[in-house]
Amino acid sequence: MKLTKSQIQTYEDNGYLVLPDLFTRDEVDVLIHELTATAAITDERVIKEKAGPAIRMVYGLHDRSGPTGSVGYESLVRSARLLQPALDLLGEPANVFHSKVNLKEAINGEFWQWHQDFGNWSSEDAVAAPHMVTSLVLLDQATEVGGCLYFIPGSHKGGLLPPKLDQRTSVKLWTVSKDQMIEAVEKFGEPVAVTGGPGTVVMFHPYLLHGSGQNMSTHERKQFYCVYNAVSNKLGPVAAPRPEYKASRRSSAVQMSNQDVIVGASVLESA
Ligand code: SIN
Ligand code: MN
């Protein structure tokens, strides 16, 4: 699926682009099924909430060489529907920098502070440039009460703000200070809620200001994020390189699948 000129313009203007209902309900069901099986394992790629046993993140689902690897997520990151729009924005082959599902348990699932992703990737991994794009796949209905993401449209144009380390949740995050956020909202406008149905894809820029609140609803929230990095965009030397599943240093490009379908392990096994 090639992006149109007007879709590319929307991404450049706002720092994000919504592609509604790109994946079907059946495909999303495959992804949820594989997530449920994977999240049950004990591994550092499965990260819990600070205040209890609920799962907050699962890394590495697309990478079948790792313990959380899954057929369904590998087919997702290699599908033309997800990969081609990223290549259209990056203008060159790309690899997967990392992938993760972020979950928020009903009622208690914790917030994500306002941040820019590149604040994390420059601070932790010395990534050279924001020549990357995140493709988010909604795995259930994203609602405001359920702790959906919020974006500040156009805020990617403000460049990288000084990242500030915040360890209030179970995930160490380089965030944007309160004063910088107030200034950004005065300049770019109020946050918009990123709501939508399962199978919807939202692509966003590494400089876009975003965050999300607590899940106040009675439903779990699940969102898959695949970060594509242009192959020419290298990670620099750092004192303590993060594991490959958080910040891939592989330079080989991800190959697009011949067939644009999401298949689960059970389909492959019975084939
Ligand atoms: C993130 O921005 O990295 C995660 C936000 C969320 O899943 O709500
Ligand atoms: Mn983020």
Side-chain angles (χ1 to χ4, degrees), residues 29-249:
D29 284 346
V30 167
L31 297 170
I32 291 174
H33 180 75
E34 299 214 341
L35 170 69
T36 309
T38 305
I41 71 167
T42 303
D43 186 84
E44 62 182 18
R45 292 165 183 76
V46 181
I47 297 169
K48 307 272 167 70
E49 292 280 12
K50 196 166 197 164
I55 296 168
R56 179 170 172 90
M57 297 180 86
V58 182
Y59 272 109
L61 286 150
H62 75 283
D63 182 2
R64 288 175 64 205
S65 68
T68 49
S70 121
V71 175
Y73 287 90
E74 186 196 55
S75 61
L76 176 61
V77 305
R78 295 181 57 204
S79 70
R81 273 172 292 171
L82 202 68
L83 179 55
Q84 187 61 55
L87 299 180
D88 292 346
L89 293 177
L90 295 172
E92 64 169 287
N95 53 41
V96 177
F97 177 71
H98 69 222
S99 80
K100 62 203 172 200
V101 170
N102 287 356
L103 301 97
K104 273 188 198 177
E105 72 164 328
I107 307 291
N108 295 319
E110 274 218 81
F111 65 105
W112 289 81
Q113 306 90 319
W114 286 111
H115 66 281
Q116 294 170 302
D117 286 334
F118 202 71
N120 289 274
W121 304 333
S122 58
S123 304
E124 297 283 346
D125 314 307
V127 181
H131 200 28
M132 310 163 91
V133 61
T134 298
S135 300
L136 156 62
V137 184
L138 302 180
L139 298 179
D140 43 33
Q141 190 73 37
T143 63
E144 297 203 50
V145 69
C148 71
L149 269 184
Y150 288 86
F151 288 157
I152 307 292
S155 57
H156 63 305
K157 292 186 174 163
L160 184 63
L161 304 173
K164 184 171 167 280
L165 189 59
D166 185 333
Q167 307 209 63
R168 274 178 292 164
T169 75
S170 60
V171 175
K172 174 182 167 192
L173 197 68
W174 291 86
T175 61
V176 169
S177 74
K178 180 176 155 187
D179 289 348
Q180 295 265 9
M181 264 319 291
I182 292 170
E183 215 177 285
V185 168
E186 280 165 6
K187 188 165 173 191
F188 297 107
E190 291 293 328
V192 299
V194 183
T195 54
T200 291
V201 170
V202 183
M203 307 178 76
F204 62 98
H205 190 281
Y207 281 168
L208 190 72
L209 283 164
H210 63 284
S212 63
Q214 182 171 328
N215 184 357
M216 303 287 285
S217 80
T218 53
H219 307 283
E220 184 181 61
R221 191 214 72 168
K222 295 176 283 302
Q223 303 193 158
F224 174 73
Y225 299 77
C226 177
V227 182
Y228 293 106
N229 185 18
V231 286
S232 67
N233 192 30
K234 301 294 182 210
L235 284 65
V238 288
R242 293 202 295 168
E244 180 70 24
Y245 67 84
K246 283 190 180 168
S248 177
R249 289 175 181 264

